[in-house]
């Protein structure tokens, strides 16, 4: 088994083997190019993303700046959006659904370092995948830790640190992030409210 295969299986692996340092360096340099490209130059930005993050749906928009470790381990569904300073350490797979809104300064982490220093100082680590369902919304400064699954249609409050799975259709927030209540029809935006016609 290669070190990269161990990485995806959640087994301790050497992150400096199997050409991984070169792949990370390439991704970091592509992120720098993306971040330097003018916002109006969508052709250049999309060309960079085709190489950096090819597994994305139609209508994906990354405001930038972005910082990915590989990029190629991230999949992002159609019409999903990430605001300023989106950081993804994708040593394992990161699956983001359709119509996901990610606020500024959000981070998703998949790598895990050993707890004991004698193990950690060997340089070996392991990783766990992250999954985010369709139609989720993250407030600003949300951090998602390795191995977490967030169900569809969840709202994660600003500043939350998500350490455990969140069930679908829940409002959740805090550090550690916890489900507060289920989202219902009562949360529907009041678009039907009659507007005043008085001048």
């Amino acid at each position: 088994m290669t070190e990269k295969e161990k990485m995806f299986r959640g087994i301790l692996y050497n992150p400096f083997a199997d050409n991984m340092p070169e792949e990370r360096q390439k991704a970091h340099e592509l992120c720098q190019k993306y971040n330097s490209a003018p916002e109006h130059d969508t052709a250049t930005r999309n060309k960079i993303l085709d190489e950096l993050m090819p597994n994305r749906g139609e209508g994906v928009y990354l405001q930038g700046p972005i910082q990915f470790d590989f990029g190629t381990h991230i999949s992002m569904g159609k019409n999903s959006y990430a605001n300023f300073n989106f950081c993804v350490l994708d040593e394992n797979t990161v699956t983001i659904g359709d119509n996901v809104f990610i606020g500024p300064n959000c981070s998703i982490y998949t790598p895990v370092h050993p707890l004991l220093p004698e193990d950690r100082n060997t340089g070996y680590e392991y990783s766990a995948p992250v999954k985010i369902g369709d139609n989720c919304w993250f407030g600003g400064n949300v951090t998602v830790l390795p191995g977490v699954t967030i169900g569809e249609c969840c709202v994660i409050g600003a500043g939350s640190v998500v350490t455990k799975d969140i069930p679908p259709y829940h409002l959740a927030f805090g550090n550690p992030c916890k489900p507060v209540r289920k989202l219902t029809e009562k949360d529907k935006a009041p678009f039907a409210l009659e507007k005043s016609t008085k001048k």
Side-chain angles (χ1 to χ4, degrees):
M1 188 184 302
T2 67
E3 296 301 305
K4 184 173 282 190
E5 287 171 338
K6 292 178 185 177
M7 178 176 74
F8 287 118
R9 290 194 178 194
I11 301 170
L12 276 173
Y13 72 97
N14 178 2
F16 301 102
D18 294 348
N19 208 40
M20 285 187 277
E22 291 80 4
E23 290 183 31
R24 286 192 297 269
Q25 180 178 323
K26 178 182 177 182
H28 296 167
E29 291 174 355
L30 286 169
C31 287
Q32 290 171 353
K33 290 180 180 178
Y34 185 88
N35 298 337
S36 298
E39 191 170 330
H40 69 269
D41 191 354
T42 54
T44 296
R45 280 183 146 204
N46 285 332
K47 185 176 180 181
I48 294 167
L49 286 182
D50 287 342
E51 189 173 1
L52 173 65
M53 186 184 166
N55 303 314
R56 68 189 194 284
E58 185 178 354
V60 164
Y61 185 79
L62 307 179
Q63 178 66 54
I66 58 174
Q67 188 62 60
F68 302 156
D69 258 354
F70 290 91
T72 51
H73 304 158
I74 306 167
S75 65
M76 197 170 192
K78 63 184 180 181
N79 301 321
S80 288
Y81 166 81
N83 212 314
F84 298 106
N85 299 315
F86 184 41
C87 177
V88 184
L89 304 187
D90 54 321
E91 271 64 24
N92 209 306
T93 56
V94 173
T95 306
I96 301 169
D98 298 339
N99 304 302
V100 173
F101 290 4
I102 297 174
N105 304 309
C106 287
S107 300
I108 299 172
Y109 304 144
T110 67
V112 184
H113 298 286
L115 296 180
L116 295 178
E118 56 267 31
D119 296 329
R120 189 165 57 248
N121 293 340
T122 65
Y124 278 68
E125 60 186 45
Y126 55 101
S127 68
V130 168
K131 297 179 181 179
I132 299 165
D134 296 341
N135 301 304
C136 287
W137 170 33
F138 291 5
N141 295 288
V142 168
T143 301
V144 181
L145 297 189
V148 165
T149 294
I150 298 173
E152 63 178 339
C153 303
C154 283
V155 176
I156 308 298
S160 296
V161 179
V162 190
T163 63
K164 295 183 179 179
D165 293 355
I166 305 296
Y169 284 90
H170 272 77
L171 170 66
F173 53 79
N175 181 5
C177 184
K178 295 181 180 179
V180 176
R181 64 178 176 82
K182 196 162 187 178
L183 297 171
T184 70
E185 285 296 314
K186 292 181 180 179
D187 294 301
K188 191 172 179 64
F191 293 123
L193 290 179
E194 187 175 340
K195 294 182 179 180
S196 173
T197 56
K198 295 181 181 180
K199 294 183 180 180

